[in-house]
């Protein structure tokens, strides 16, 4: 193979970046994946917590599940199922109306299945990030991406200014890597200067997002008063969704664990008051009490959990898809791909399709060598 495309850097280990890295490595490209967090997954990550009594708890606190409709993703899911990386979540789901205080079912004949990673939502990303040909570096933040015209390659620098290596191509799978929102959160300029890829700049400047707070709860006993293992919440200004994480296949059922998601409006109100920076412990404690109070007020009459903790998803959920036809953004002159669910559709399947599309752009280069 020509050295024109021997090394590619993938920034971000959510499902889009992980799928892209795996696909590139499978086609003989040496991939280095950088992730600022301790582990892979993005909003498919799993949170590990320790209760006051020392009990270990795990929560899929981002995307609760994913559905599949495209042949490409269906094929991948079958492969992942054969490796015990995911399974269908065959529980019943419903709606709770806060006005009527009643549950109704939303199950329909022939509806597409709900899939979850096993034993956690991050299992798929973990496996993809450790495929042969993929070198994953967790806990490493990319501070700057510099184009070296003379070498026709990219130099990646850490937040400390130290070199992370030179690469013939880069994939950015985190939309914030090119967004002004990055500065609001971190106080630093975005790692990728969009003036280097002006054709992409206009489309990527302000991708709309939906913020959300997740409340993780653990109970000593099953909540038998709730007839569904997942339900949307109607006519609440605070809560939008709830699901029983411990009911998922392959997940620990030692404690009954539930996760609640706030409404967009509630999250925006908190962010407007406290800002986009990482929320303080005091702010998160306030969110815990407000979300739990809303849960109590809707009349489900449940016992108090022995564990409660909140997490903010400031910009993980995109509100628009801005590259539907191409499925990713691509600058062939500098070999830059930008992928994610904000490109195709705002869900896990969209993220997977975008990661595959980004990898295919590099594979087209290889086909001409």
């Amino acid at each position: 193979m020509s050295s024109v495309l021997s090394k590619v850097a993938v920034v971000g280990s959510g499902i889009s970046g992980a799928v892209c890295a795996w696909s590139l490595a499978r086609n003989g490209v040496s991939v280095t994946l950088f992730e600022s967090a301790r582990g892979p997954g993005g909003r498919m990550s799993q949170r590990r917590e320790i209760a006051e009594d020392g009990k270990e708890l795990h929560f899929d606190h981002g995307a609760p599940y994913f559905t599949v409709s495209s042949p490409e993703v269906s094929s991948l899911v079958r492969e992942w199922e054969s490796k015990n990386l995911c399974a269908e979540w065959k529980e019943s789901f419903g709606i709770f109306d806060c006005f009527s205080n009643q549950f109704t079912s939303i199950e329909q004949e022939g509806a597409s299945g709900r899939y979850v990673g096993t034993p956690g939502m991050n299992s798929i990303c973990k496996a993809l990030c450790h495929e042969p040909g993929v070198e994953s570096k967790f806990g490493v933040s990319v501070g700057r991406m510099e184009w070296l015209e003379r070498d026709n390659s990219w130099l990646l620098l850490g937040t400390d200014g130290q070199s992370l290596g030179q690469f013939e191509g880069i994939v950015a799978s985190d939309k914030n890597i090119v967004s002004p929102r990055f500065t609001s959160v971190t106080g630093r300029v975005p790692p990728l200067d969009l003036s280097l890829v002006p054709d992409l700049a206009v489309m990527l400047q302000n991708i709309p997002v939906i913020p959300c707070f997740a409340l993780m709860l653990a109970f000593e006993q099953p909540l038998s008063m709730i007839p569904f293992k997942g339900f949307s919440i109607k006519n609440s200004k605070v809560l939008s969704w709830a699901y029983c994480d411990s009911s998922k296949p392959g997940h620990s059922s030692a404690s009954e664990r539930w996760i609640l998601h706030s409404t967009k409006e509630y999250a925006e109100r908190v962010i407007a008051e406290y800002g986009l920076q990482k929320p303080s412990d005091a702010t998160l404690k306030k969110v815990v009490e407000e979300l739990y109070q809303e849960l109590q007020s809707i009349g489900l009459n449940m016992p108090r959990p022995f564990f409660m903790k909140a997490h903010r998803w400031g910009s993980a959920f995109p509100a628009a898809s801005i590259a539907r036809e191409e499925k990713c953004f691509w600058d062939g002159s500098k070999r830059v791909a930008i992928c994610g669910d904000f490109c195709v559709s705002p869900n896990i399947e969209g993220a997977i399709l975008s990661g595959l599309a980004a990898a295919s752009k590099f594979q087209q280069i290889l086909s001409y060598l």
Side-chain angles (χ1 to χ4, degrees):
M1 179 187 300
S2 167
S3 62
V4 171
L5 191 61
S6 59
K7 291 175 66 180
V8 171
V10 175
V11 182
S13 69
I15 189 65
S16 192
V19 163
C20 182
W22 162 81
S23 183
L24 287 170
R26 187 181 57 170
N27 284 276
V29 178
S30 175
V31 179
T32 304
L33 185 147
F34 297 97
E35 170 58 59
S36 59
R38 290 174 294 178
R43 62 188 172 102
M44 283 183 75
S45 59
Q46 187 180 68
R47 186 78 169 257
R48 175 181 175 270
E49 297 287 348
I50 303 295
E52 287 184 1
D53 62 358
K55 188 176 294 183
E56 186 173 293
L57 305 167
H58 292 90
F59 296 92
D60 293 339
H61 61 312
Y65 63 85
F66 63 95
T67 57
V68 179
S69 59
S70 67
E72 305 102 302
V73 180
S74 293
S75 175
L76 281 177
V77 169
R78 285 194 297 272
E79 181 180 337
W80 295 337
E81 281 186 294
S82 71
K83 296 178 179 178
N84 295 319
L85 296 175
C86 71
E88 187 175 354
W89 190 12
K90 297 180 179 179
E91 295 287 354
S92 296
F93 283 58
I95 300 172
F96 182 81
D97 190 328
C98 293
F99 286 170
S100 65
N101 275 8
Q102 289 185 339
F103 283 100
T104 54
S105 175
I106 57 171
E107 299 302 326
Q108 295 180 345
E109 194 78 27
S112 52
R114 303 178 182 94
Y115 291 90
V116 300
T118 55
M121 282 297 283
N122 62 351
S123 299
I124 298 169
C125 293
K126 268 186 180 179
L128 296 175
C129 289
H130 290 95
E131 282 284 321
V134 179
E135 180 186 6
S136 294
K137 297 188 175 184
F138 299 109
V140 177
S141 297
V142 174
R144 201 77 185 144
M145 301 173 174
E146 295 185 357
W147 174 248
L148 305 177
E149 191 73 44
R150 184 175 176 179
D151 296 337
N152 191 31
S153 65
W154 289 92
L155 172 66
L156 268 59
L157 303 171
T159 52
D160 59 0
Q162 296 296 307
S163 172
L164 298 174
Q166 269 185 247
F167 302 89
E168 283 73 45
I170 56 173
V171 179
S173 65
D174 181 349
K175 56 188 170 293
N176 290 329
I177 212 162
V178 295
S179 169
R181 194 181 298 109
F182 181 89
T183 303
S184 301
V185 175
T186 67
R188 306 194 307 270
V189 295
L192 179 57
D193 181 357
L194 280 177
S195 67
L196 296 172
V197 283
D199 291 345
L200 307 183
V202 175
M203 294 176 285
L204 291 166
Q205 276 290 319
N206 291 294
I207 301 170
V209 296
I210 299 173
C212 172
F213 281 93
L215 176 60
M216 297 166 278
L217 305 173
F219 299 87
E220 296 287 0
Q221 301 295 329
L223 303 185
S224 55
M225 75 291 295
I226 300 178
F228 300 106
K229 296 303 182 184
F231 58 95
S232 59
I233 300 170
K234 188 177 177 183
N235 295 317
S236 169
K237 294 180 179 180
V238 177
L239 294 175
S240 65
W241 172 249
Y243 56 96
C244 181
D245 208 40
S246 50
S247 71
K248 293 178 177 179
H251 286 51
S252 169
S253 56
S255 301
E256 176 106 344
R257 300 182 309 283
W258 282 77
I259 296 171
L260 311 179
H261 283 183
S262 77
T263 60
K264 170 191 172 186
E265 292 73 21
Y266 173 83
E268 287 176 338
R269 192 164 68 247
V270 174
I271 290 171
E273 183 175 354
Y274 295 102
L276 272 172
Q277 290 78 16
K278 183 179 179 181
S280 66
D281 290 344
T283 299
L284 290 175
K285 284 180 181 177
K286 181 183 177 185
V287 169
V288 166
E289 290 304 323
E290 289 178 349
L291 295 183
Y292 182 67
Q293 186 177 16
E294 178 72 3
L295 181 65
Q296 288 181 306
S297 72
I298 64 179
L300 292 179
N301 194 28
M302 58 179 61
R304 188 169 181 85
F306 69 83
F307 177 87
M308 294 193 291
K309 193 167 186 176
H311 174 84
R312 189 191 73 184
W313 294 103
S315 59
F317 301 95
S321 303
I322 56 177
R324 286 182 180 273
E325 289 186 14
E326 288 295 319
K327 299 182 181 176
C328 70
F329 292 100
W330 172 247
D331 184 305
S333 64
K334 292 186 173 71
R335 299 177 298 280
V336 179
I338 299 174
C339 59
D341 52 7
F342 55 93
C343 292
V344 183
S345 57
N347 51 40
I348 300 301
E349 183 174 32
I352 294 170
L353 288 169
S354 187
L356 292 172
S360 74
K361 296 295 185 183
F362 289 97
Q363 287 155 19
Q364 287 170 20
I365 296 175
L366 293 174
S367 68
Y368 295 125
L369 299 179

